[in-house]
Amino acid sequence: MAILQKLIDDRVYALNLSQLGIGRASDNEIVIMDDAVSSYHALITVRESPSDPAIMDYILEDLDSTNETYVNNKAIRQHILKNGDIVRVGETRLKFLAKDYSAPPQEDFQKTRKLSKNKLASFINKK
């Protein structure tokens, strides 16, 4: 199952229904209390991928909202979400994470390189 993760507070919304409404109104599945979000701002439809029934597509659709719906800083009418996409409704940002998503192990992150005193001094003295 895929999720949307709210970036400001890490709240997680499971995308476990065939359709999920996003908006300020309390009858949405994903309620966003943000004055820039319409009452019924966007809709996510979950369906089998036409190319592979084993894969689910998560289709985000703007519902003619006042302030539009954005994916990766581009206004959309309809968009098939991909792992890592950043969705913005109003001023709220959410990250889409597919069901097969897992964070890389800590050792995969690039380690910080320690500067020698000479390199550090030359870096500081550059103007």
Side-chain angles (χ1 to χ4, degrees), residues 1-4 13-20 22 30 42-50 52-62 69 71 76-85 87 95-101:
M1 163 184 53
I3 63 166
L4 278 179
Y13 301 96
L15 305 181
N16 56 1
L17 300 172
S18 61
Q19 288 194 320
L20 299 103
I22 301 172
I30 301 174
L43 180 71
I44 295 177
T45 301
V46 182
R47 68 162 197 221
E48 288 181 354
S49 173
D52 184 352
I55 296 174
M56 301 305 287
D57 283 338
Y58 296 83
I59 303 156
L60 176 66
E61 178 182 0
D62 182 76
T69 300
V71 176
I76 59 103
R77 298 289 299 141
Q78 191 174 67
H79 178 84
I80 296 175
L81 293 169
K82 295 173 187 53
N83 192 50
D85 278 349
V87 174
K95 186 172 190 174
F96 175 76
L97 298 172
K99 67 178 179 178
D100 57 351
Y101 173 81

